[in-house]
Amino acid sequence: MGNSTVSDARNITLVMDFYELTMSYDYFKQGKKDEIAYFDMFYRKNPDNGGYVIMAGLQQLIEAIKDMHFSKGDIDYLRTLNMFDEEFLSYLADFKFDGTIWAVPEGTPVFPYEPLVTVKGKLIEAQLLETFLLVTINHQSLIATKTHRIVQEAKGRPVMEFGARRAQGYDGATYGARAAYIGGAAGTATVSAGKAFGIPVLGTMAHSFVQSFDTEYDAFKAYAEIYPDSCILLVDTYDTLKSGIPNAIRVAEEVLQPMGKTLAGIRIDSGDIAYLTKKARMMLDVAGLTNTKISISNSLDEYLIRSVLEQGARIDSFGVGENMITSKSSPVFGGVYKMAAMEKDGQIVPKIKISENKEKITNPGYKKVYRLIENETNKAIADIVMFADETIDPEKNLTIYSQYDKWKNKTLIGGSYTFFELQKPIFVDGECVYEEKTLAEIRENVKKQGTLLWDEIFRLEYPHAYYVDLSERLIDYKLKMLEEKRG
């Protein structure tokens, strides 16, 4: 367990924008179906005006590509649209991805304008990947990043993912829980995610449980008798300080202690969190329940968690729901999928997209991306995007250039830096060559890669801007293409 699919029987190939099919049909009729194209998936802006993104969703993308096929039902449906001839439908019926893909491993911090996924393949097959590639990487990277921000502000206290009922649908709940676990959540309340991915499942009771008994004490007593080893009581159904905590203490003394057990914890889901937790801690300690933990939920996010802790709140763990599972404050991750090159007569011909908004101008060509590490500090200096046939000699000076302005550059002195390639081979000629990672390995990668970055990159407000620069050859080629395309 750890990287299972949610439904092995479901084919998601038709999770695509209709224009993927209309363009592919035109390629087919124009005799372009076997032309080789290169596409880059990247993004332009960090969510929440943050300083980074945590890459996630690669395993689900791999599974989708392995299973990419058009079933008889798919073909029958497409036939009803009266847009495609039988020759093209027969081509789709025999479709199999035979291309090559490189991608950044899950759990790696990444930054704007660098290729996260690069696809090389026949024009149609590379085109047809676009939608489900984007929806997979965009969604899970967004939630993993939001969770990482929240966990960071919890300062070592466990954060539980409680968001299923507020998620954007069943898949949003299940795959969102997976992404949250990658981002650092201690576990999830979503049972489907526990089954599919081996994530620890956590949960206690709802207010309805307390209300279903004649008294709050009766509810707590019944729960303690069934779960004496993990008894966490929800204490805010009626009155946290006057009823909930006193009844929890009473159950601890009258039910659990005679069994040789102790009250594991209480949960507060409403009210002034800082005030209530300080009062709760005092009441529990006076009763001798110094080991009883206090858990908090109720529309939490990274800013509220930071605020209540600064106010001295006595909290041992957090349950975070809607703000995590939907990334409510920044709910869209703007990953895009753009053509970078095509092959003609055995040569790679770079392609560029031009826009009046310079941030939408793409970097042309088949490229690789490297992370440059300063030897003295063992911290990342910048990432560099360069043509795939370029090389780096760390014993020689290396000048890196801004995405748009060649005058803005920095020279690294030979011998002062090392580097590693961010992307790894995932598919080669249609065969998956990437070794599947467990969620534990992915979570560890988040920590490992995070140590290579300066703390200032992880600030919530005005984080340090990490540079993704270009090689001299790439910036020169890009500027030349801009001049030519603009006449």
Side-chain angles (χ1 to χ4, degrees):
M1 293 186 69
N3 278 317
S4 170
T5 56
V6 173
S7 174
D8 292 333
R10 182 172 59 172
N11 175 21
I12 68 166
T13 301
L14 285 189
V15 179
M16 64 174 62
D17 293 285
F18 187 51
Y19 74 6
E20 313 292 3
L21 286 164
T22 57
M23 287 189 292
S24 295
Y25 182 50
D26 202 298
Y27 297 149
F28 186 84
K29 301 303 288 185
Q30 298 294 334
K32 295 171 65 69
K33 68 181 179 68
D34 292 330
E35 294 184 12
I36 301 299
Y38 297 76
F39 284 81
D40 290 331
M41 183 265 169
F42 62 95
Y43 73 99
R44 301 185 179 104
K45 183 180 179 182
N46 293 317
D48 281 309
N49 295 314
Y52 66 99
V53 157
I54 300 296
M55 173 71 173
L58 178 59
Q59 185 59 40
Q60 279 62 56
L61 176 62
I62 291 171
E63 291 165 359
I65 293 173
K66 282 182 177 179
D67 190 48
M68 190 176 182
H69 69 280
F70 293 85
S71 68
K72 182 180 182 300
D74 295 338
I75 299 300
D76 290 343
Y77 167 71
L78 294 177
R79 185 177 289 113
T80 68
L81 301 178
N82 297 316
M83 294 285 288
F84 314 111
D85 64 19
E86 289 301 317
E87 186 182 13
F88 180 65
L89 294 176
S90 294
Y91 167 80
L92 293 183
D94 295 330
F95 182 89
K96 178 183 180 297
F97 179 76
D98 289 321
T100 298
I101 295 177
W102 301 265
V104 176
E106 291 187 275
T108 305
V110 292
F111 302 94
Y113 301 107
E114 61 190 8
L116 307 185
V117 182
T118 296
V119 177
K120 172 192 175 184
K122 295 175 183 176
L123 184 54
I124 291 180
E125 67 181 8
Q127 190 74 68
L128 292 178
L129 294 182
E130 178 175 6
T131 305
F132 70 66
L133 185 155
L134 287 174
V135 73
T136 303
I137 301 298
N138 282 351
H139 173 244
Q140 289 203 45
S141 297
L142 179 69
I143 307 308
T145 305
K146 184 65 172 181
T147 305
H148 191 269
R149 290 164 57 87
I150 291 170
V151 170
Q152 172 183 283
E153 295 308 312
K155 305 301 183 187
R157 299 168 178 84
V159 175
M160 296 160 283
E161 185 279 306
F162 278 0
R165 65 192 65 189
R166 302 284 188 265
Q168 317 292 26
Y170 310 124
D171 283 353
T174 305
Y175 288 120
R178 178 186 187 272
Y181 193 63
I182 289 172
T188 179
T190 306
V191 179
S192 60
K195 176 178 180 290
F197 308 120
I199 301 171
V201 288
L202 308 162
T204 55
M205 62 174 65
H207 296 109
S208 58
F209 180 85
V210 178
Q211 293 171 295
S212 71
F213 290 82
D214 291 337
T215 69
E216 187 176 52
Y217 174 81
D218 290 338
F220 289 175
K221 179 175 181 291
Y223 196 86
E225 289 172 342
I226 298 297
Y227 302 108
D229 294 313
S230 57
C231 184
I232 301 176
L233 303 174
L234 180 61
V235 296
D236 72 328
T237 303
Y238 302 118
D239 188 302
T240 300
L241 299 180
K242 293 181 180 180
S243 173
I245 296 176
N247 277 322
I249 292 171
R250 183 182 168 194
V251 165
E253 295 173 342
E254 297 179 1
V255 179
L256 292 171
Q257 288 178 11
M259 299 168 65
K261 310 293 183 179
T262 188
L263 179 62
I266 63 169
R267 179 164 71 93
I268 301 174
D269 190 50
S270 60
D272 187 321
I273 292 173
Y275 172 75
L276 289 175
T277 58
K278 285 185 276 189
K279 286 289 188 179
R281 184 73 270 158
M282 291 174 58
M283 294 170 70
L284 291 170
D285 288 351
V286 168
L289 300 174
T290 56
N291 293 324
T292 297
K293 306 297 185 183
I294 299 175
S295 180
I296 297 299
S297 48
N298 185 29
S299 298
L300 301 173
D301 65 9
E302 61 267 48
Y303 295 101
L304 183 54
I305 288 174
R306 182 177 67 180
S307 177
V308 297
L309 291 179
E310 287 176 346
Q311 295 167 39
R314 302 296 301 275
I315 301 170
D316 298 292
S317 65
F318 299 91
V320 184
E322 63 191 62
N323 290 314
M324 176 187 290
I325 204 66
T326 66
S327 186
K328 185 177 179 181
S329 58
S330 187
V332 177
F333 182 62
V336 295
Y337 185 77
K338 300 297 181 183
M339 181 181 284
M342 289 192 67
E343 290 188 7
K344 185 175 182 180
D345 300 326
Q347 299 295 315
I348 299 175
V349 180
K351 301 288 183 176
I352 191 169
K353 177 189 178 296
I354 299 177
S355 171
E356 291 300 318
N357 299 324
K358 73 175 186 177
E359 65 272 10
K360 289 192 173 185
I361 298 172
T362 61
N363 290 319
Y366 167 37
K367 302 173 294 294
K368 295 294 185 184
V369 56
Y370 298 90
R371 185 149 294 168
L372 303 169
I373 306 297
E374 185 179 48
N375 292 337
E376 182 180 356
T377 61
N378 198 36
K379 297 291 185 182
I381 305 166
D383 291 352
I384 180 171
V385 182
M386 57 203 313
F387 286 119
D389 61 354
E390 292 188 81
T391 58
I392 298 175
D393 183 347
E395 297 305 315
K396 294 182 179 179
N397 291 357
L398 174 67
T399 303
I400 57 179
Y401 297 84
S402 166
Q403 294 274 335
Y404 309 104
D405 304 299
K406 192 174 180 183
W407 62 266
K408 189 175 182 183
N409 59 67
K410 176 176 179 145
T411 297
L412 311 183
I413 304 302
S416 71
Y417 66 94
T418 56
F419 66 94
F420 64 90
E421 187 172 348
L422 280 181
Q423 291 183 324
K424 306 297 181 185
I426 308 300
F427 286 87
V428 175
D429 296 330
E431 296 300 319
C432 183
V433 298
Y434 186 68
E435 183 179 346
E436 179 179 338
K437 307 299 181 185
T438 67
L439 280 179
E441 289 173 327
I442 295 169
R443 281 163 62 91
E444 186 59 32
N445 192 46
V446 176
K447 297 177 183 178
K448 177 182 176 182
Q449 297 297 326
T451 63
L452 298 177
L453 302 175
W454 293 100
D455 291 343
E456 290 80 359
I457 290 170
F458 298 103
R459 280 198 304 254
L460 297 187
E461 291 95 1
Y462 305 107
H464 171 72
Y466 184 85
Y467 292 109
V468 175
D469 287 342
L470 308 182
S471 68
E472 182 172 24
R473 184 175 151 204
L474 179 54
I475 186 64
D476 285 345
Y477 199 100
K478 180 179 181 179
L479 295 176
K480 178 184 176 183
M481 288 191 78
L482 288 174
E483 292 177 4
E484 291 175 349
K485 296 296 183 183
R486 288 175 168 172

